[in-house]
Amino acid sequence: MPPGDVRGFDVRTGAMVWTFHSIPHGGEFGAKHLGARGLAEHGAANVWSMMTADDDLGYFYLPFSTPDNDFYGGRLGDNLFGESLACLNAATGEWVIHHGLWDYDIPAAPILLDLVVDGQPI
């Protein structure tokens, strides 16, 4: 399957500014965890649902689907980007990621909210 790369574009010029590889290329974070055949044998890990933006922080959140076949967790490497919610800096494409182990696609856009627990904002 083709990889689920995400690209950032300049809204004024239309020029591509950055690319986030959900299946890491050599030298990128996570590539060594896939092994020698990783990029050649893995695909998908695409954004399956709608993205959510936080204009104040300049971040957006991407719900990634499974790499390769659904319902099979035996993929090579650490599977860093599959079934995960990635938070990317909209200007640079730099990310913070949380990896899930559900082996399912995330079917809905992430919800951003202010939550107060015991009087403290989280």
Side-chain angles (χ1 to χ4, degrees), residues 48-50 63-65 102 104-110:
W48 183 248
S49 184
M50 295 178 286
F64 280 97
S65 69
W102 309 304
Y104 287 104
D105 299 337
I106 299 174

Side-chain angles (χ1 to χ4, degrees), residues 59 85-89 94-98:
Y59 293 159
L85 179 64
C87 174
L88 275 67
N89 180 310
E94 294 175 310
W95 57 272
V96 176
I97 195 163
H98 171 73

